[in-house]
């Protein structure tokens, strides 16, 4: 077994924690803008879920420009506007109940991921101590 595969579960858990932490920030921003006229709620999505995949290519307007390949950093996330259900008279479409439900579900997922990482680290500590638990 490769050394990297021993820590793969912890790495995946770390990525899940990062995602849910960043999503909590986006959702909190939605709630903070509940009275902002014209505000559309935002959502954090992984690139494979993003409707922005068909982005426009960057134009090279000078021969000295460095070409952009469109490559993304591994694990990069997109913040996109959520579908508008029914905006209010001021154009704001944030539903407090909907956002609070998403925040609650996100918190449960974060807590679950944190617990899984904690258990994986405990197993690694146990194995590193030759099963002596200390």
């Amino acid at each position: 077994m490769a050394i990297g595969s021993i820590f793969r579960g912890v790495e995946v858990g770390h990525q899940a924690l990062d995602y849910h932490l960043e999503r909590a920030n986006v959702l909190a921003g939605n709630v903070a803008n509940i009275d902002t006229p014209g505000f559309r709620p935002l959502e954090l999505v992984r690139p494979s879920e993003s409707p922005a995949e068909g982005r426009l290519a960057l134009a090279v307007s000078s021969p000295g420009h460095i070409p952009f390949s469109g490559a993304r950093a591994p694990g990069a996330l997109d913040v996109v506007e959520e579908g508008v259900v029914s905006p209010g008279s001021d154009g704001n479409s944030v539903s407090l109940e909907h956002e609070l439900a998403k925040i609650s579900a996100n918190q449960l997922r974060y807590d679950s991921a944190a617990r899984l990482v904690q258990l994986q680290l405990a197993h690694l500590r146990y194995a590193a101590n030759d099963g002596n638990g200390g």
Side-chain angles (χ1 to χ4, degrees):
M1 179 188 311
I3 295 294
S5 64
I6 293 173
F7 299 103
R8 179 71 182 137
V10 175
E11 180 184 332
V12 169
H14 183 266
Q15 291 170 356
L17 290 172
D18 285 347
Y19 170 80
H20 291 296
L21 179 62
E22 184 63 29
R23 186 167 184 245
N25 291 330
V26 170
L27 297 175
N30 290 345
V31 173
N33 284 290
I34 198 161
D35 291 325
T36 303
F39 185 81
R40 301 285 192 255
L42 303 174
E43 183 58 87
L44 186 70
V45 295
R46 292 173 181 91
S48 61
E49 303 169 0
S50 176
E53 281 301 311
R55 297 174 202 196
L56 297 175
L58 294 177
V60 177
S61 57
S62 170
H65 286 169
I66 298 172
F68 178 71
S69 65
R72 300 174 57 99
L77 302 170
D78 289 328
V79 177
V80 298
E81 269 190 21
E82 200 172 18
V84 177
V85 178
S86 57
S89 60
D90 65 354
N92 185 306
S93 61
V94 177
S95 164
L96 182 60
E97 295 81 13
H98 186 68
E99 295 304 316
L100 292 178
K102 290 192 305 184
I103 289 170
S104 179
N106 190 63
Q107 183 64 48
L108 286 171
R109 291 182 183 115
Y110 181 90
D111 292 343
S112 297
R115 181 69 179 136
L116 286 172
V117 168
Q118 183 182 26
L119 289 171
Q120 290 167 339
L121 290 172
H123 287 278
L124 289 172
R125 186 173 34 255
Y126 182 78
N129 289 314
D130 293 326
N132 291 323

